[in-house]
Amino acid sequence: MLCSAACMVHCVVLPLLILALPMLARWLSIPESAHLWLLAFAAPAAALALSLGFRMHRQWVPLVAGAAGLALLGTAIFVEGAEETALTVAGSILIISGHVLNLRLRQRCVCCALAAADRSG
């Protein structure tokens, strides 16, 4: 659950930070490869968090949403301008949605397991 929460925070904070980058561009030099490096971090983190959640709740929707979001982010590396922005935002939204749903489903599984244990014990 910690991986999913950390990835969700990453996916929420990073777009906000990126929105602030034009203002920070005077002081920071961000290379073109930054998007690739961020994706290299986000892909395994999201895959781990969402697959662990799937093992618990067996629901495909969070996993598919996360995979689609990562695919959009991967596609955004190969385009520029407005298309890159649109793909990045759409991918981030899908990943965030997958993580939120994953977190809710995991919490429901934990609550159901605790309730079943209370009834049987």
Side-chain angles (χ1 to χ4, degrees):
M1 186 161 47
L2 182 62
C3 287
S4 190
C7 194
M8 185 176 67
V9 169
H10 166 270
C11 291
V12 170
V13 171
L14 191 60
L16 295 175
L17 179 63
I18 290 172
L19 285 173
L21 286 179
M23 294 181 293
L24 300 173
R26 293 182 180 167
W27 302 286
L28 297 175
S29 175
I30 299 171
E32 287 293 321
S33 62
H35 196 234
L36 181 61
W37 286 105
L38 292 170
L39 183 60
F41 168 75
L48 177 65
L50 294 171
S51 63
L52 289 174
F54 175 76
R55 288 178 62 190
M56 179 183 270
H57 53 66
R58 298 289 186 205
Q59 298 293 319
W60 285 98
V61 176
L63 200 58
V64 171
L70 289 171
L72 289 176
L73 289 178
T75 304
I77 292 172
F78 301 106
V79 296
E80 294 182 6
E83 293 85 12
E84 178 184 14
T85 303
L87 288 170
T88 301
V89 169
S92 296
I93 289 170
L94 279 171
I95 293 171
I96 292 167
S97 299
H99 283 301
V100 168
L101 185 56
N102 188 48
L103 190 60
R104 288 182 179 168
L105 288 168
R106 286 180 62 120
Q107 288 172 343
R108 186 181 330 156
C109 287
V110 170
C111 291
C112 291
L114 291 174
D118 285 344
R119 283 182 291 215
S120 67

